[in-house]
């Protein structure tokens, strides 16, 4: 078994890049952000404030989450409902950032994430994978890009979905999310000491994916070859 931890700020392309590289290298992709988004969605649906620890923690006993891989893609289920699309709105994204600040939420998800890595060769992305969830991962990557680049990508993505929000507002939210994620008391976003920095500013998707793939091959190419030999 091998494990790859990819951390980085919102909008860095962690999920799309990790998913593509995992498929190419034959690893299981785990989108941990989807779990936090699902908790954020659950809190919002209860009419509670995801920024209030008491509100969020009070919802946890009624939350059941499951990750399933269906037709080659990860699907996330909240209390039996497939919410894979519903958790991708800007409102849920901000709620995910807010609920992830609470130690009880992180503890709620920690063992589930580690168990996936124990049973599979994985690429797992998030905010604290290399520092907290999988501190002994075989490969650690801190994937980032400038706030302006990440806001531009998010803005174009939202335009493609018909969502009306100015670039300036998207940039403001990116900067706010960065601050919240890096200043929270519980497992703040930061680069692990032994992580490789991958800055994708100015790179297109194919170039960014190739960069991440090469880092993994440089660090764990021999282990990947061994995995293939055993299959």
């Amino acid at each position: 078994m091998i494990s790859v931890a990819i951390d980085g700020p919102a909008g860095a392309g962690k999920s799309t890049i990790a998913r593509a590289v995992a498929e190419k290298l034959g690893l299981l992709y785990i989108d941990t952000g989807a779990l936090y988004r699902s908790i954020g969605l659950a809190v919002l649906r209860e009419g509670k404030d995801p920024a209030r620890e008491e509100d969020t923690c009070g919802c946890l006993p009624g939350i059941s989450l499951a990750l399933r891989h269906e037709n080659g893609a990860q699907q996330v289920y909240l209390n039996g409902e497939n919410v894979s699309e519903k958790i991708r709105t800007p409102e849920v994204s901000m709620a995910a950032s807010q609920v992830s600040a609470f130690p009880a939420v992180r503890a709620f998800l920690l063992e589930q994430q580690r168990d996936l890595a124990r049973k599979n060769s994985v690429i797992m992305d998030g905010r604290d994978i290399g520092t907290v969830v999988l501190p002994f991962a075989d490969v650690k990557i801190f994937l980032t890009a400038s706030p302006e680049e990440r806001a531009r990508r998010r803005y174009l993505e939202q335009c493609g979905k018909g969502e009306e929000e100015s670039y300036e507002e998207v940039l403001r939210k990116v900067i706010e999310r960065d601050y919240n994620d890096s200043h929270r008391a519980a497992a703040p976003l930061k680069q692990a000491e032994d992580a490789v920095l991958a800055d994708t500013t100015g790179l297109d998707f194919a170039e960014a994916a190739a960069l991440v793939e090469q880092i993994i091959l440089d660090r764990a190419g021999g282990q990947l070859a061994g995995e293939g030999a055993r299959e």
Side-chain angles (χ1 to χ4, degrees), residues 49-142:
D49 183 355
R52 284 175 49 87
E53 186 169 10
E54 184 179 67
D55 282 7
T56 293
C57 294
C59 293
L60 292 179
I63 293 176
S64 173
L65 300 175
L67 291 178
R68 302 173 190 169
H69 284 78
E70 301 170 352
N71 300 318
Q74 177 185 275
Q75 305 294 319
V76 60
Y77 285 77
L78 169 63
N79 297 333
E81 175 191 355
N82 188 332
V83 293
S84 303
E85 295 298 324
K86 295 181 176 67
I87 60 175
R88 299 299 171 183
T89 68
E91 181 184 22
V92 173
S93 179
M94 185 58 67
S97 178
Q98 292 167 328
V99 302
S100 68
F102 305 132
V105 173
R106 308 200 74 83
F108 181 76
L109 295 176
L110 180 60
E111 186 54 33
Q112 181 173 353
Q113 296 171 70
R114 286 180 172 171
D115 188 56
L116 289 167
R118 280 193 292 265
K119 296 177 179 177
N120 306 276
S121 288
V122 302
I123 292 182
M124 191 176 294
D125 76 279
R127 301 290 189 278
D128 64 344
I129 308 304
T131 54
V132 177
V133 179
L134 301 178
F136 301 110
D138 300 291
V139 183
K140 298 179 185 179
I141 299 171
F142 192 83

Side-chain angles (χ1 to χ4, degrees), residues 30-220:
I30 306 296
D31 175 11
T32 63
L35 299 173
Y36 288 98
R37 286 172 176 268
S38 298
I39 291 178
L41 176 61
V43 175
L44 291 172
R45 283 180 167 182
E46 289 294 319
K48 303 295 185 180
D49 183 355
R52 284 175 49 87
E53 186 169 10
E54 184 179 67
D55 282 7
T56 293
C57 294
C59 293
L60 292 179
I63 293 176
S64 173
L65 300 175
L67 291 178
R68 302 173 190 169
H69 284 78
E70 301 170 352
N71 300 318
Q74 177 185 275
Q75 305 294 319
V76 60
Y77 285 77
L78 169 63
N79 297 333
E81 175 191 355
N82 188 332
V83 293
S84 303
E85 295 298 324
K86 295 181 176 67
I87 60 175
R88 299 299 171 183
T89 68
E91 181 184 22
V92 173
S93 179
M94 185 58 67
S97 178
Q98 292 167 328
V99 302
S100 68
F102 305 132
V105 173
R106 308 200 74 83
F108 181 76
L109 295 176
L110 180 60
E111 186 54 33
Q112 181 173 353
Q113 296 171 70
R114 286 180 172 171
D115 188 56
L116 289 167
R118 280 193 292 265
K119 296 177 179 177
N120 306 276
S121 288
V122 302
I123 292 182
M124 191 176 294
D125 76 279
R127 301 290 189 278
D128 64 344
I129 308 304
T131 54
V132 177
V133 179
L134 301 178
F136 301 110
D138 300 291
V139 183
K140 298 179 185 179
I141 299 171
F142 192 83
L143 187 68
T144 190
S146 70
E148 292 77 14
E149 174 80 359
R150 289 182 282 123
R152 182 185 68 82
R153 295 172 184 172
R154 183 64 58 84
Y155 172 71
L156 292 175
E157 178 185 358
Q158 291 181 187
C159 287
K161 296 179 180 179
E163 298 175 10
E164 296 183 3
E165 191 171 34
S166 69
Y167 166 79
E168 290 75 18
E169 180 62 14
V170 175
L171 177 59
R172 184 193 67 78
K173 289 183 177 179
V174 166
I175 293 173
E176 180 182 358
R177 179 77 183 268
D178 285 353
Y179 182 87
N180 290 342
D181 289 347
S182 61
H183 286 78
R184 65 190 181 209
L189 170 67
K190 63 180 180 180
Q191 181 178 342
E193 292 184 2
D194 53 347
V196 178
L197 178 66
D199 190 329
T200 65
T201 303
L203 301 183
D204 62 22
F205 174 77
E207 292 169 332
L211 173 61
V212 169
E213 179 185 351
Q214 191 58 54
I215 292 171
I216 295 171
L217 292 175
D218 288 344
R219 291 293 182 100

